[in-house]
Amino acid sequence: MSEHSATGASGPASGRPPRVALFVTCLVNVMRPAVAEATRELLVAAGCTVDVPLRQTCCGQPAFNSGDTADGRALARHQIAVLEGYDHVVAPSGSCIGTIRHTYPETFADDPDWGPRARALAARAFEITSFLVDVMGFTPAPTRHAARATYHDTCSGLRELGIHDQPRRLLGSVENLDLVPLPDANVCCGFGGTFCVKYPAISNAVVDEKARAIEGTGADVLLGGDLGCLMNMAGRLGRRGSPVRVFHTVEALTGRLSTAGVGEGPKGTRR
């Protein structure tokens, strides 16, 4: 078997635990490692053998979004080489997985070597809630947290990967969590990766509308699946003096809603 070949069949039907590469992502690694820890806990509970390849780097999305195709392609080739030996690649980010599943195959479409490798990796790459529900058919062990929560659908997860029902289904395992609808939950929060840097005035206006919608639900907690979006919304909520606390979905699923939320200090104070 070549170094960039997939391993044999695995998963619930095969009887062999799937070997999963946890793609941590840049923001999670730097800003909120607890999201990676929670993701790993869920994968292990679902019956996976989990590796965290230490040579993983950025997926290249910021470079591609900025028109720096050369560096984007270099990062993509590196990631493919590092991640392709696993049964599945899973990340707590629809944005980064969307890059692997769509941008990589498009970028190397005419490359006779990297094209097939990019397409093979894309077929095995999943956002965490989609992987747990759609691939593993897994329901987490119940946790308990009494709160009123609302959920924001991130653009990449919803539009590139079809993630909508999966996180809501998993959150049903959190006892006493009252999940209320967020008006226009499918509308962008204004982050958009490099968009918020290139167009800060538009980004600020969009996230302010989102913050008002979140506050209007009466929720205590905001949940979502991409840390960049959550940081953007947490920052705006904090500047508005809102008491709404912000967490990644995997943190809710692993009993972490009593810890410091996104943008909070160790004692729950806003930074």
Side-chain angles (χ1 to χ4, degrees), residues 61 64-65 97-108 160:
Q61 182 185 138
F64 285 119
N65 287 350
I97 292 297
T99 298
I100 294 175
R101 293 192 65 161
H102 297 287
T103 306
Y104 285 12
E106 292 168 2
T107 297
F108 298 113
E160 290 190 306

Side-chain angles (χ1 to χ4, degrees), residues 59 64 72-73 76-77 79-80 95-125 160-161:
C59 67
F64 285 119
R73 288 170 66 91
R77 285 192 292 267
Q79 285 293 82
I80 292 169
S95 178
C96 297
I97 292 297
T99 298
I100 294 175
R101 293 192 65 161
H102 297 287
T103 306
Y104 285 12
E106 292 168 2
T107 297
F108 298 113
D110 299 322
D111 189 309
D113 180 22
W114 290 99
R117 295 169 70 175
R119 290 188 290 273
L121 181 64
R124 302 195 303 278
E160 290 190 306
L161 305 176

Side-chain angles (χ1 to χ4, degrees), residues 38-87:
T39 301
R40 182 184 179 279
E41 286 179 22
L42 290 167
L43 290 170
V44 170
C48 302
T49 299
V50 183
D51 289 341
V52 183
L54 296 182
R55 293 179 58 238
Q56 63 180 282
T57 60
C58 175
C59 67
Q61 182 185 138
F64 285 119
N65 287 350
S66 301
D68 184 1
T69 305
D71 282 336
R73 288 170 66 91
L75 287 165
R77 285 192 292 267
H78 176 81
Q79 285 293 82
I80 292 169
V82 169
L83 300 174
E84 64 189 345
Y86 295 87
D87 297 320

Side-chain angles (χ1 to χ4, degrees), residues 3 7 9 12 17 39-40 61 79 134 136 139 167 172 174 178 183 205 216 219 233 239 251-252 257 264:
E3 67 177 5
T7 53
T39 301
R40 182 184 179 279
Q61 182 185 138
Q79 285 293 82
D134 301 329
M136 300 302 294
T139 300
V174 183
D178 180 18
M233 292 182 287
R239 290 189 294 275
E251 295 178 289
L257 292 184
E264 297 178 359

Side-chain angles (χ1 to χ4, degrees), residues 14-26:
S14 71
R16 181 174 70 81
R19 186 166 172 252
V20 173
L22 172 56
F23 177 28
V24 174
T25 80
C26 299

